[in-house]
Amino acid sequence: MAEEMSGIPEHEEFRTGARQWLRTVARPRAADGEWGSGSDSVAVFENWTEEQEREHTARVQEWERIRYDQGWSALTWEESYGGRGLPAYYEQLYRAEEAAFDVPQRPEIFPVTQALVAPAIAIWGTEEQKRRWLRPMLRTDELACQLFSETEAGSDLAAVRTRAVRDGDDWVLTGHKVWTSGARVATWGVAVCRTDPDVRKHAGITVFLVRMDAPGVTVRPIRQMTGGSSFNEVYLDGVTVPDTDRLGPVGEGWRVTLSVLAAERLDSGSLGLDNADRALDLAAHLPRPLTGGEQQRAADLHIRTLVQRLIGLRVTAALVAGREPGAEASVGKLYATETMRRTSDLVSELLGPSLVADTGEWGTYAWTEHLLGAPGYSIAGGTDEIQRTILAERVLGLPKEPAR
Ligand SMILES: Cc1cc2nc3c(=O)[nH]c(=O)nc-3n(C[C@H](O)[C@H](O)[C@H](O)COP(=O)(O)OP(=O)(O)OC[C@H]3O[C@@H](n4cnc5c(N)ncnc54)[C@H](O)[C@@H]3O)c2cc1C
């Protein structure tokens, strides 16, 4: 009732509207047919060449522009940014509908741009920056990657050594970033830099948006164990960045960084669910009876998927109540990476040798891409150990780790 009065559609009305719209622009997923036909990809990170990455990115951008232009993206954003001013959980309502349709799978750079970087700009950006960056990022005309980690600054991110030195109206950036997902297709890199080496490490940091095509930026792909290169090294050799591309105040970059990292945890809760469901389908379609052990593992995985979805609902409930879902988000990320691990265990047991020898049979060897990709998510976005530390300190109130 209150929602009706405020011009916010009822949930069912919204979901029906989303479904009807999706039918006009996408094919229902069920149309892919029976088990054993259609794509058997369960890749966690794609094995793309640079050309394939560019092609796929362009396809997803095309889809994202349709969504944005027709009012089904940026749902929670103000109208002035092309949004509809809906509460945060409407995004989840939309996603639940979209899952039933065959739409392009969004590689990491898309959620990074729309759900991590754009909200940080909304919090920390000047009015001019918001006008300049938000629409193109929400519409994905411009994509943004995270230039956070360095070889000596991962879990201990505040130890970054990439220097930014003031030069009149500009800054000059010099350093080396690593593990940058999507750097090959990004327009912008959000760089966490040291602007004052003489103060406490968290106080000497400032964040800049760097054009990835600026002179002095070099991107070198890193070969992952999946065979692909979804992440890269990025060298910044005397890159000039105008002060108007600084995000947040000088020396306040740690708080800007934390805004991005919190959004990253929030975005991770549904990781691995699709592949867990697919593994359970595999168990149901195996051309032999399951052993007792396999049944146990399958039942356990089924329970996990239910619990993970419930954790997702708790995150939604926190958002509905207007609370920042801090602890729920860390639990969600940690739980998701364990689901991915258990999915690997079940599939390994079910498929045995046909997992490691490519016989061309549908839905067998393809699982290597899950097995080799899944461990990456126990590291990306804050390792499992770091999530546990957050829970221990912030939820359980245990004594803090000694400061480094
Ligand atoms: C697939 C993937 C994509 C990524 N994408 C990006 C990206 O786009 N941009 C970006 O900037 N970075 C990215 N990263 C980097 C990622 O954020 C870091 O790898 C991560 O934060 C861990 O840092 P590290 O690799 O330096 O490991 P380290 O911090 O050196 O950790 C090594 C080990 O020590 C443990 N450890 C460290 N500190 C503690 C502690 N205090 N207590 C207990 N255990 C501890 C860790 O859990 C880990 O097991 C990506 C990583 C992966 C795997």
Side-chain angles (χ1 to χ4, degrees), residues 45 108 146-151 153-156 178-181 224 230-231 376-377 379-386 389 401 404:
F45 302 106
E108 262 178 304
Q146 287 170 281
L147 295 172
F148 284 23
S149 307
E150 299 177 6
T151 44
S155 301
D156 185 15
V178 74
W179 320 125
T180 315
S181 304
Q224 288 156 254
S230 70
F231 55 35
Y377 270 113
I379 303 170
T383 66
D384 286 354
E385 288 76 18
I386 295 300
T389 301
E401 277 202 331
R404 280 154 290 155

Side-chain angles (χ1 to χ4, degrees), residues 282-332:
L282 173 70
H285 288 91
L286 215 60
R288 64 167 172 81
L290 299 191
T291 66
E294 288 165 346
Q295 277 186 348
Q296 295 291 321
R297 270 195 209 282
D300 175 61
L301 187 63
H302 175 61
I303 294 165
R304 288 193 69 83
T305 61
L306 297 179
V307 175
Q308 193 174 325
R309 288 187 164 99
L310 288 174
I311 297 169
L313 288 176
R314 293 192 73 148
V315 171
T316 309
L319 291 169
V320 172
R323 253 188 333 104
E324 230 3 77
E328 292 92 338
S330 277
V331 173

Side-chain angles (χ1 to χ4, degrees), residues 64-86:
E64 288 298 317
R65 285 172 192 145
I66 293 173
R67 276 208 317 134
Y68 183 89
D69 293 345
Q70 301 193 17
W72 291 98
S73 180
L75 296 168
T76 62
W77 290 79
E78 289 170 22
E79 270 179 42
S80 52
Y81 298 122
R84 290 166 63 172
L86 295 173

Side-chain angles (χ1 to χ4, degrees), residues 194-209:
R194 183 150 309 283
T195 40
D196 188 345
D198 299 325
V199 292
R200 198 173 49 85
K201 68 178 175 185
H202 291 87
I205 293 174
T206 306
V207 168
F208 298 89
L209 263 71

Side-chain angles (χ1 to χ4, degrees), residues 106-337:
R106 303 185 313 158
E108 262 178 304
I109 187 90
F110 286 85
V112 166
T113 303
Q114 294 165 305
L116 274 55
V117 176
I121 292 171
I123 297 171
W124 294 98
T126 61
E127 285 311 312
E128 184 272 330
Q129 288 175 332
K130 290 187 212 174
R131 261 197 312 279
R132 189 151 55 93
W133 284 328
L134 286 177
R135 273 179 167 268
M137 286 193 188
L138 293 170
R139 196 172 180 265
T140 72
D141 294 329
E142 295 181 0
L143 296 169
C145 62
Q146 287 170 281
L147 295 172
F148 284 23
S149 307
E150 299 177 6
T151 44
E152 302 298 325
S155 301
D156 185 15
L157 183 58
V160 286
R161 290 193 295 199
T162 293
R163 285 298 312 273
V165 177
R166 185 120 205 186
D167 179 17
D169 290 339
D170 295 329
W171 293 81
V172 179
L173 272 52
T174 307
H176 172 213
K177 296 289 180 179
V178 74
W179 320 125
T180 315
S181 304
R184 295 192 292 201
V185 291
T187 316
W188 296 98
V190 181
V192 180
C193 300
R194 183 150 309 283
T195 40
D196 188 345
D198 299 325
V199 292
R200 198 173 49 85
K201 68 178 175 185
H202 291 87
I205 293 174
T206 306
V207 168
F208 298 89
L209 263 71
V210 182
R211 281 203 72 92
M212 294 300 286
D213 59 1
V217 177
T218 308
V219 176
R220 291 208 189 129
I222 300 173
R223 176 66 75 90
Q224 288 156 254
M225 68 174 165
T226 52
S229 298
S230 70
F231 55 35
N232 309 268
E233 286 184 279
V234 178
Y235 290 85
L236 303 168
D237 293 317
V239 180
T240 300
V241 175
D243 189 52
T244 46
D245 290 352
R246 166 171 51 80
L247 184 62
V250 175
E252 297 272 342
W254 185 243
R255 291 174 59 210
V256 179
T257 306
L258 287 183
S259 306
V260 179
L261 295 178
E264 188 161 19
R265 285 197 289 276
L266 196 60
D267 200 56
S268 314
S270 59
L271 280 174
L273 282 172
D274 287 351
N275 281 1
D277 290 344
R278 184 71 82 101
L280 292 169
D281 278 346
L282 173 70
H285 288 91
L286 215 60
R288 64 167 172 81
L290 299 191
T291 66
E294 288 165 346
Q295 277 186 348
Q296 295 291 321
R297 270 195 209 282
D300 175 61
L301 187 63
H302 175 61
I303 294 165
R304 288 193 69 83
T305 61
L306 297 179
V307 175
Q308 193 174 325
R309 288 187 164 99
L310 288 174
I311 297 169
L313 288 176
R314 293 192 73 148
V315 171
T316 309
L319 291 169
V320 172
R323 253 188 333 104
E324 230 3 77
E328 292 92 338
S330 277
V331 173
K333 161 87 171 44
L334 201 49
Y335 207 84
T337 57

